[in-house]
Amino acid sequence: MTDPRPIGVFDSGVGGLTVLREILRRTPDESTIYLGDNARAPYGVRPDEEVRAFSTQSIDALVERDVKAVVVACNTSTAIALGDLRRRYDLPILGVIRPGATSAALATRNRRVGVIGTPATIRSHAYFSAIKDENPAVEVYEHATPTFVPMVEAGLLSGLEVEASVREALAPLLGERDASGEFVFPLPPSAKVDTLLLGCTHYPLLRAAIGSVAGEGIAIVDSAAATASALAELLSINDIEAPRADPGGTDGPAVAAAATGGANHVQLTTGDVDAFRAIAGRMFGEAFPDVASIELEATVSGA
Amino acid sequence: MTDPRPIGVFDSGVGGLTVLREILRRTPDESTIYLGDNARAPYGVRPDEEVRAFSTQSIDALVERDVKAVVVACNTSTAIALGDLRRRYDLPILGVIRPGATSAALATRNRRVGVIGTPATIRSHAYFSAIKDENPAVEVYEHATPTFVPMVEAGLLSGLEVEASVREALAPLLGERDASGEFVFPLPPSAKVDTLLLGCTHYPLLRAAIGSVAGEGIAIVDSAAATASALAELLSINDIEAPRADPGGTDGPAVAAAATGGANHVQLTTGDVDAFRAIAGRMFGEAFPDVASIELEATVSGA
């Protein structure tokens, strides 16, 4: 069986668009509805009850639009509300934390993983717990990088200045710096992290800069890519993939290239549509043109 | 919601017990029914139609026993029958190929992955395709190691002799050997595989020997572990995990240690029960005591 209904992607703001981008790349036949609760972002500063209520309202809105699965592309909502959401709704719900954590636990060779994220995500220790669940032998070093989200939303994604900021932010995690600004590693290589997990949906846009600062010996694991991969596998396992837009009737790589023919994509925001378009444009260029407004219930829907 | 029904694990023989072992380790509260079609193993030498028919009969038998999900822990059946099976049954069905392939694609740093398996699996190029699906930039080197399954089923799992056989078998993949028997790598490190995928369910039992031959620079990725991890995530996403056997009422690591209290496990074989017990005993010691006989329909059930 196939299922042409769209996939719902929910985030408090625009960061989840990196997850959406990976979903479009991996499963180009799938339609999507993105919901950014920009009017109430960021969630990281809000009490748990509010995060749960806002997440429920957002997913109610996606369920009303007949989505077949939901990706919670928001680290705060995943950390706080995912269990509740799965109990409440009778459809598959993915978070962004477990797929990234699993990938990092698999990618490390020396069993030392660094995790970077917003202060709220790092304080929640959600990645720490998820990596330990996957492999208790992995040592996890968490580090908040509060300057990255403002940098990304301002469109500062590459260049020497960005690299300098990234180097500054990662120094406590990756090593000491000497007078010339180069990293100095007093520890033997086996004592350094060999894998760095990007625990914030904005960070894949800084991937090049982060990779350049971290150097070749460190694998960069990206929650957005890992989540899109887990979604593709879930659609396949549950046999709810969209029908293939397959002009040639073959099953080969041409399919991926030919796709998005039958797929529809819309981005909804609770905030200002022009502001959403402006930020998304600075981050992704022209990738997400179809933005519309949505209003969510001010009160929580009945449990 | 929780779902106390068992997980069905299907293999043509005993190799899938490595997947079962990982499932017991990661999701200790889950009950399981293992079905080994030993009377008709191995599947690798059979025509596709037979593999599909036998797989369908086996999963019919598991569905009759009210399983909530099925793991096809057989590389041949996964490569040939998985798509058909997913269309036929209205429950989640996991194969062993995609999880292993995804893990390998994520684990490699130099984008060179070696895959070892039985001749039938290697001929199918199923891992090659699945790794390329995950990341087309990864180069995949496939290599059949036909001596490994007989070695494992004879209980030869470690020791100098086993390592010598493993070294012999992996030489074409890992490098040349000089007169003293040591590997010589004429290629620079960047041109060697840095990740080795065990593409056969028997091979995790040789993991120590394979790791010792491959050396520290090569990550060993294990389809059995990756599949059990994907199953755990699937149960969680679909909200069909078993109720927790949680004496202390806490949510911590103690749960895993205390578990298997409420879980039941049975192994069924279409072959001789004593022979199954003997092989499983040589491979796993006393881990799988509860073996019973099962007869499958000689004809394919109606489509």
Side-chain angles (χ1 to χ4, degrees), chain B residues 32 37 46 98 103 115 133 136 258:
Chain B
T32 62
D37 191 9
R46 294 185 177 273
R98 182 66 67 113
S103 300
V115 179
D133 274 357

Side-chain angles (χ1 to χ4, degrees), chain A residues 110-193:
Chain A
N110 72 0
R111 295 185 172 166
R112 288 165 181 266
V113 171
V115 179
I116 54 175
T118 64
T121 298
I122 295 305
R123 266 199 310 276
S124 79
H125 298 303
Y127 280 99
F128 179 92
S129 304
I131 293 171
K132 289 289 189 184
D133 274 355
E134 179 65 27
N135 185 351
V138 172
E139 288 179 38
V140 183
Y141 302 88
E142 298 177 292
H143 180 58
T145 46
T147 57
F148 285 10
V149 166
M151 214 153 67
V152 167
E153 296 203 352
L156 299 170
L157 307 180
S158 60
L160 286 179
E161 217 173 310
V162 169
E163 270 191 36
S165 298
V166 168
R167 187 176 299 271
E168 177 82 26
L170 295 184
L173 187 65
L174 296 183
E176 303 292 314
R177 287 179 303 161
D178 65 14
S180 69
E182 290 300 299
F183 284 120
V184 175
F185 294 107
L187 303 169
S190 64
K192 293 186 307 188
V193 304

Side-chain angles (χ1 to χ4, degrees), chain A residues 52-64 67 69-70 72 81-93 300-303, chain B residues 1 236-239:
Chain A
R52 275 194 279 267
F54 295 172
S55 302
T56 304
Q57 290 161 18
S58 301
I59 295 180
D60 278 350
L62 291 169
V63 168
E64 274 169 28
V67 296
V70 167
V72 178
L82 191 62
D84 279 356
L85 296 172
R86 282 177 173 162
R87 281 187 288 277
R88 179 182 285 260
Y89 299 98
D90 189 25
L91 82 177
I93 304 185
V300 189
S301 69
Chain B
M1 274 167 301
S236 172
I237 290 172
N238 283 354
D239 199 23

Side-chain angles (χ1 to χ4, degrees), chain A residues 34-56:
Chain A
Y34 183 93
L35 195 161
D37 191 9
N38 299 70
R40 302 185 288 198
Y43 282 8
V45 296
R46 294 184 178 275
D48 288 6
E49 257 330 296
E50 273 190 6
V51 171
R52 275 194 279 267
F54 295 172
S55 302
T56 304

Side-chain angles (χ1 to χ4, degrees), chain A residues 9-85:
Chain A
V9 180
F10 156 59
D11 184 26
S12 56
V14 291
L17 291 172
T18 59
V19 182
L20 179 60
R21 186 175 59 169
E22 289 292 330
I23 292 171
L24 301 185
R25 194 175 71 73
R26 276 164 200 261
T27 46
D29 294 329
E30 299 294 339
S31 294
T32 62
I33 303 177
Y34 183 93
L35 195 161
D37 191 9
N38 299 70
R40 302 185 288 198
Y43 282 8
V45 296
R46 294 184 178 275
D48 288 6
E49 257 330 296
E50 273 190 6
V51 171
R52 275 194 279 267
F54 295 172
S55 302
T56 304
Q57 290 161 18
S58 301
I59 295 180
D60 278 350
L62 291 169
V63 168
E64 274 169 28
R65 283 156 181 79
D66 200 23
V67 296
K68 63 183 171 187
V70 167
V71 177
V72 178
C74 170
N75 280 285
T76 303
S77 177
T78 298
I80 292 167
L82 191 62
D84 279 356
L85 296 172

Side-chain angles (χ1 to χ4, degrees), chain B residues 105-141:
Chain B
L106 289 167
T108 182
R109 283 144 161 71
N110 71 1
R111 295 185 172 167
R112 289 166 180 266
V113 171
V115 179
I116 55 175
T118 64
T121 298
I122 296 303
R123 267 198 311 276
S124 79
H125 297 304
Y127 279 99
F128 179 92
S129 304
I131 293 170
K132 288 290 190 184
D133 274 357
E134 180 64 26
N135 185 351
V138 172
E139 289 180 37
V140 184
Y141 301 88

Side-chain angles (χ1 to χ4, degrees), chain B residues 142-176:
Chain B
E142 298 177 292
H143 180 58
T145 47
T147 56
F148 285 10
V149 167
M151 215 154 68
V152 167
E153 295 201 353
L156 300 169
L157 307 181
S158 60
L160 286 179
E161 218 173 311
V162 169
E163 269 191 35
S165 298
V166 168
R167 190 175 295 274
E168 178 82 26
L170 296 184
L173 188 65
L174 296 184
E176 303 294 312

